[in-house]
């Protein structure tokens, strides 16, 4: 699987996780209480993956370059 496709798939999964958290962070089944992942962490990863997808779609044109100016 290509890196861009993998990043897009992960981003979709994180969108689904975010939606699940927003619709019910904590719930009970019988005597068991279940709590979903931390919303802040999921949203942070969504932003990171959105940036990665954008960069990969741009063809990596947003690369940082180190240069040393010379006085000639």
């Amino acid at each position: 699987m290509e890196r861009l496709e993998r990043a897009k798939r992960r981003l979709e999964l994180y969108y689904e996780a975010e939606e699940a958290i927003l619709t019910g962070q904590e719930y009970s089944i019988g005597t068991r209480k279940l709590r979903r992942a931390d919303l802040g962490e999921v949203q942070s990863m969504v932003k990171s993956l959105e940036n990665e997808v954008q960069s990969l779609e741009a063809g990596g044109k947003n690369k940082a370059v180190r240069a040393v100016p010379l006085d000639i």
Side-chain angles (χ1 to χ4, degrees), residues 19-70:
E19 184 177 335
I21 292 168
L22 290 170
T23 58
Q25 176 65 17
E26 200 171 274
Y27 59 97
S28 298
I29 300 175
T31 59
R32 301 177 86 185
K33 204 174 227 185
L34 302 168
R35 181 173 170 85
R36 298 191 191 274
D38 180 38
L39 181 60
E41 290 180 25
V42 170
Q43 289 176 330
S44 174
M45 193 62 180
V46 165
K47 287 180 185 178
S48 175
L49 286 167
E50 286 173 339
N51 290 337
E52 182 179 346
V53 166
Q54 184 179 14
S55 176
L56 290 169
E57 286 179 336
K61 295 178 186 174
N62 298 330
K63 292 185 179 178
V65 178
R66 177 186 286 176
V68 178
L70 300 175

Side-chain angles (χ1 to χ4, degrees), residues 6-23:
R6 190 170 41 247
K8 284 182 176 182
R9 176 68 182 136
R10 287 184 66 209
L11 181 57
E12 284 303 315
L13 292 171
Y14 271 94
Y15 283 144
E16 292 172 16
E18 182 182 43
E19 184 177 335
I21 292 168
L22 290 170
T23 58

